[in-house]
Amino acid sequence: MSDPILTLSGVQTDIAQYHILQGVDLTVPRGGVTMLLGRNGVGKTTTLRTIIGHWQARAGTITFDGQDITAMPTPARARAGIGFVPEDMGIFSDLTVEENMILAAASGPLDSARLDWIFSVFPPLKTFWRAAAGNLSGGQKQMLSIARAMAEDRALYLIDEPTKGLAPAIISTMAGALRDLKNQGASILLVEQNFSVAKALGDTVAVMEDGRINWTGQMAELANDAALQERLMGLSMEAH
Amino acid sequence: MSAAPDHTPTFAQISLSERIGKAAPLLLVPVMVALGFLAIGSPSSWLTLTVSGLAMGMMIFIMASGLTLVFGLMDVINFGHGAFISVGAFVGISVLLVLGSWTGAPSLALNVAAVMLAVIAAMIITGALGWAFERVIVRPVYGAHLKQILVTVGGLIVIEQMIHVIWGPDEIFLTRPETLKGAFTFAGAAIEKYRLLAVVFGLVLFVAMRLVFKRTKIGLIVRAGVQNGEMVQALGYRLRLVFIGVFIAGSALAGLGGVMWGLYQEVITAGMGEEMMILVFIVVIIGGLGSVEGAFIGALLVGLLQNYIAFLEPKLALVSNIALMTAVLMWRPQGMMPVVKAK
Ligand SMILES: Nc1ncnc2c1ncn2[C@@H]1O[C@H](COP(=O)(O)OP(=O)(O)O)[C@@H](O)[C@H]1O
Ligand SMILES: [Mg+2]
């Protein structure tokens, strides 16, 4: 088995005076989808933000593709091959869809074959190509946010709750796109509260509780064990 | 830009009222010009005042454009910005004084060459000064507004005193290059050549800036950075470097504005930048922090109002601009063209 694409060991992150991450140990294998699950407020978003460098880890190490990136500035982490889809989508509202996508391709012009692929999974982006991104619907903004990560080939995608607040039809578009990305061999670390989406996409799972990972295993194992789900995540996933 | 997909884009989601709302600030300039016409009565005085108001507006815009981006990108309040205006004026005017034989000659080519050299020298010096100012004064106080105000005001005072040390304590009077002197008559109104030139130059600069912001990647990065700097970094761009570049460019533009303002007033003082900053801040605030287009419209409004009121009721000129700011903020608390900030 090849070495993992991402490893966190003993990562602690403070936000202001609060100790939010209290020693996160997490391994993301190459290829496939690793689900990061857990109740609201346990630190999933903080974990992703620490990986991309929006929060600086106070202790522990983050190893990406064999390289210690713990102290690296965010732009260097991105250029090393990490794509980030934040929980709030991070759309540049005053820019057009096109301009958002041009910026997403940081290392050169947009690749037209990739763009065709993106349009095929997210047709509305083609329709609204020249429109201000701020005028898109919530689902379309989420598509744009994921499309930006897809604009270049990344070694790892960090995706935070891509189906949050979306209508069922759009959730299935989103899940289809993520499956497409997965089938291309991408490594994805995905936070997802919708358990049916998580079950359909996830290969391995890490569950958080109070700023730590308290369970890791295979998705199949968790999916077939309702009592385990109940214990690890309470009602949050039954809600969907 | 990237290959456009073959289709007609749909804008059905943008309602008509929303589109009118976005364009409303653009209409304020003609409205202001029309109100000026009604209030002043005499068409020739109105035309003269309109040209000088637009000229003043263009110069204020040039001074304000860097400041609004510096605030928008890094949330930095720079009260020292006025220092670059003064330094630019002193450097530029010194060059013009040295080139007295060029500026005194009745040759357009020699005059323009002298002004160009003055502007280039002023922009290089103020750009370099801006670079040092960012490193030494601004960088240690990121994220702390109160400290930023104190420290940048301190920087302003130090630079003003340096001007006194280098150029002496007195104001310096100057005359414009020979071919830029005087006025011509148009429709019965006297229009100073220099003011018309300032209007044209300001317009060209604004159009050029818009092209940079719309058509170049660095322009896109700056616009995106004003909205969501964190995301710009997550896409791999070093926002710090972009910010330093914008700070330097903004300082150099302030220096350019200083030269133009010095030629307009035909006198320069160490405190001239500080005096202009009141209007510059009004423009940045009513335009919407971080919005270059907003600053442009705001500057034209301020320049026009200042000139109309100075003619109608001189004592109320500055008060009128503060009233304008109050009115705009009551209408749009975030300024006329607010930048949509993340979160
Ligand atoms: N900017 C912030 N300031 C203060 N506390 C925060 C901030 N962001 C997150 N937190 C706190 O950190 C904890 C973990 O949050 P988060 O990582 O967003 O959880 P999750 O994504 O799992 O729902 C929560 O208790 C939350 O209140
Ligand atoms: Mg979250």
Side-chain angles (χ1 to χ4, degrees):
Chain A
M1 196 185 137
S2 64
D3 60 324
I5 186 73
L6 181 80
T7 311
L8 276 67
S9 57
V11 168
Q12 301 186 30
T13 300
D14 294 351
I15 300 178
Q17 72 271 38
Y18 307 106
H19 308 301
I20 306 294
L21 299 190
Q22 318 200 347
V24 171
D25 297 302
L26 174 67
T27 301
V28 178
R30 273 175 211 273
V33 178
T34 301
M35 302 300 311
L36 185 59
L37 304 179
R39 296 179 176 89
N40 272 329
V42 295
K44 304 179 297 294
T45 294
T46 307
T47 301
L48 296 200
R49 286 175 58 86
T50 305
I51 296 168
I52 194 68
H54 286 334
W55 300 127
Q56 181 56 47
R58 176 171 59 84
T61 47
I62 306 171
T63 311
F64 170 68
D65 209 2
Q67 191 184 7
D68 183 348
I69 62 164
T70 318
M72 227 184 228
T74 296
R77 297 185 202 205
R79 284 186 180 263
I82 302 180
F84 182 48
V85 179
E87 192 172 16
D88 66 7
M89 303 180 284
I91 294 302
F92 305 123
S93 316
D94 287 354
L95 272 56
T96 63
V97 171
E98 178 184 30
E99 289 168 335
N100 271 271
M101 290 301 293
I102 288 170
L103 282 178
S107 56
L110 270 172
D111 179 72
S112 67
R114 271 192 105 77
L115 199 57
D116 286 341
W117 170 47
I118 288 168
F119 287 151
S120 73
V121 288
F122 298 133
L125 297 184
K126 184 168 179 171
T127 312
F128 294 109
W129 188 239
R130 296 268 153 78
N135 291 326
L136 297 176
S137 70
Q140 292 161 349
K141 282 181 184 159
Q142 189 61 262
M143 291 178 198
L144 177 56
S145 188
I146 296 173
R148 280 193 317 203
M150 290 159 57
E152 288 189 331
D153 195 21
R154 328 266 181 199
L156 173 68
Y157 296 81
L158 309 174
I159 305 178
D160 199 347
E161 298 209 35
T163 66
K164 193 167 85 174
L166 300 184
I170 304 178
I171 291 181
S172 73
T173 302
M174 226 47 91
L178 295 175
R179 172 174 304 285
D180 230 43
L181 192 59
K182 172 182 169 172
N183 290 344
Q184 303 224 340
S187 310
I188 303 173
L189 177 59
L190 177 63
V191 175
E192 179 55 69
Q193 295 284 44
N194 181 321
F195 196 66
S196 63
V197 173
K199 206 158 57 178
L201 286 171
D203 298 307
T204 56
V205 180
V207 183
M208 288 191 83
E209 181 74 57
D210 292 338
R212 285 195 183 83
I213 306 285
N214 70 341
W215 189 85
T216 54
Q218 296 300 307
M219 189 72 224
E221 197 182 331
L222 183 63
N224 296 326
D225 190 339
L228 184 62
Q229 293 169 24
E230 174 69 30
R231 179 167 71 76
L232 293 172
M233 290 169 290
L235 296 174
S236 71
M237 60 195 215
E238 307 298 340
H240 294 277
Chain B
M1 301 259 122
S2 67
D6 46 358
H7 71 100
T8 1
T10 320
F11 293 93
Q13 289 180 320
I14 314 166
S15 71
L16 189 64
S17 66
E18 217 174 310
R19 263 190 272 179
I20 291 173
K22 279 207 163 145
L26 294 167
L27 297 174
L28 288 180
V29 175
V31 166
M32 174 78 81
V33 170
L35 287 177
F37 186 79
L38 295 177
I40 290 158
S42 141
S44 62
S45 306
W46 166 79
L47 190 54
T48 304
L49 291 168
T50 300
V51 171
S52 63
L54 290 175
M56 183 176 178
M58 293 295 178
M59 289 184 261
I60 297 174
F61 164 69
I62 291 168
M63 298 171 193
S65 54
L67 193 71
T68 195
L69 284 176
V70 159
F71 188 91
L73 274 178
M74 292 300 240
D75 214 15
V76 165
I77 302 177
N78 180 15
F79 276 83
H81 194 72
F84 307 126
I85 297 172
S86 300
V87 170
F90 275 83
V91 171
I93 300 311
S94 298
V95 170
L96 287 179
L97 291 177
V98 169
L99 297 176
S101 60
W102 291 19
T103 59
S107 146
L108 183 64
L110 278 180
N111 291 175
V112 168
V115 172
M116 293 269 281
L117 283 177
V119 161
I120 290 168
M123 291 182 78
I124 288 174
I125 299 288
T126 50
L129 190 64
W131 174 79
F133 199 89
E134 195 279 334
R135 261 191 105 85
V136 177
I137 295 182
V138 175
R139 200 174 298 181
V141 291
Y142 276 133
H145 280 160
L146 185 62
K147 284 185 187 166
Q148 281 167 10
I149 294 169
L150 294 174
V151 134
T152 56
V153 166
L156 171 72
I157 294 169
V158 169
I159 294 174
E160 278 184 9
Q161 294 306 311
M162 292 300 293
I163 292 175
H164 285 308
V165 170
I166 297 171
W167 281 280
D170 300 325
E171 68 268 49
I172 297 176
F173 292 93
L174 59 129
T175 56
R176 285 177 207 143
E178 206 52 38
T179 53
L180 302 182
K181 281 180 186 162
F184 62 90
T185 314
F186 175 80
I191 295 175
E192 278 193 43
K193 288 187 209 165
Y194 179 73
R195 291 181 184 173
L196 195 64
L197 189 74
V199 174
V200 172
F201 183 76
L203 264 181
V204 169
L205 195 68
F206 175 66
V207 169
M209 281 170 84
R210 266 185 68 103
L211 282 178
V212 168
F213 285 126
K214 300 258 182 216
R215 296 268 184 267
T216 70
K217 197 148 181 179
I218 182 75
L220 291 184
I221 294 171
V222 171
R223 281 166 61 208
V226 171
Q227 292 168 56
N228 189 340
E230 214 172 49
M231 194 63 218
V232 166
Q233 299 189 66
L235 290 176
Y237 302 102
R238 285 184 284 176
L239 195 64
R240 273 218 48 81
L241 284 186
V242 174
F243 174 73
I244 292 169
V246 167
F247 201 100
I248 292 171
S251 306
L253 283 171
L256 166 64
V259 180
M260 292 177 73
W261 189 244
L263 282 169
Y264 183 70
Q265 300 285 72
E266 298 188 286
V267 59
I268 56 175
T269 67
M272 65 186 274
E274 194 185 325
E275 286 156 23
M276 288 309 288
M277 285 310 285
I278 300 171
L279 294 180
V280 168
F281 271 118
I282 290 176
V283 160
V284 168
I285 290 167
I286 67 177
L289 297 168
S291 166
V292 170
E293 282 173 37
F296 181 72
I297 294 167
L300 295 185
L301 292 178
V302 163
L304 287 168
L305 189 63
Q306 180 91 5
N307 278 272
Y308 291 154
I309 301 291
F311 175 81
L312 294 167
E313 197 56 67
K315 286 190 188 125
L316 293 182
L318 180 60
V319 178
S320 68
N321 271 311
I322 291 171
L324 173 71
M325 177 167 74
T326 312
V328 167
L329 292 184
M330 281 165 65
W331 171 48
R332 290 198 173 165
Q334 305 291 314
M336 292 183 294
M337 298 189 141
V339 175
V340 183
K341 281 271 182 189
K343 275 167 262 174

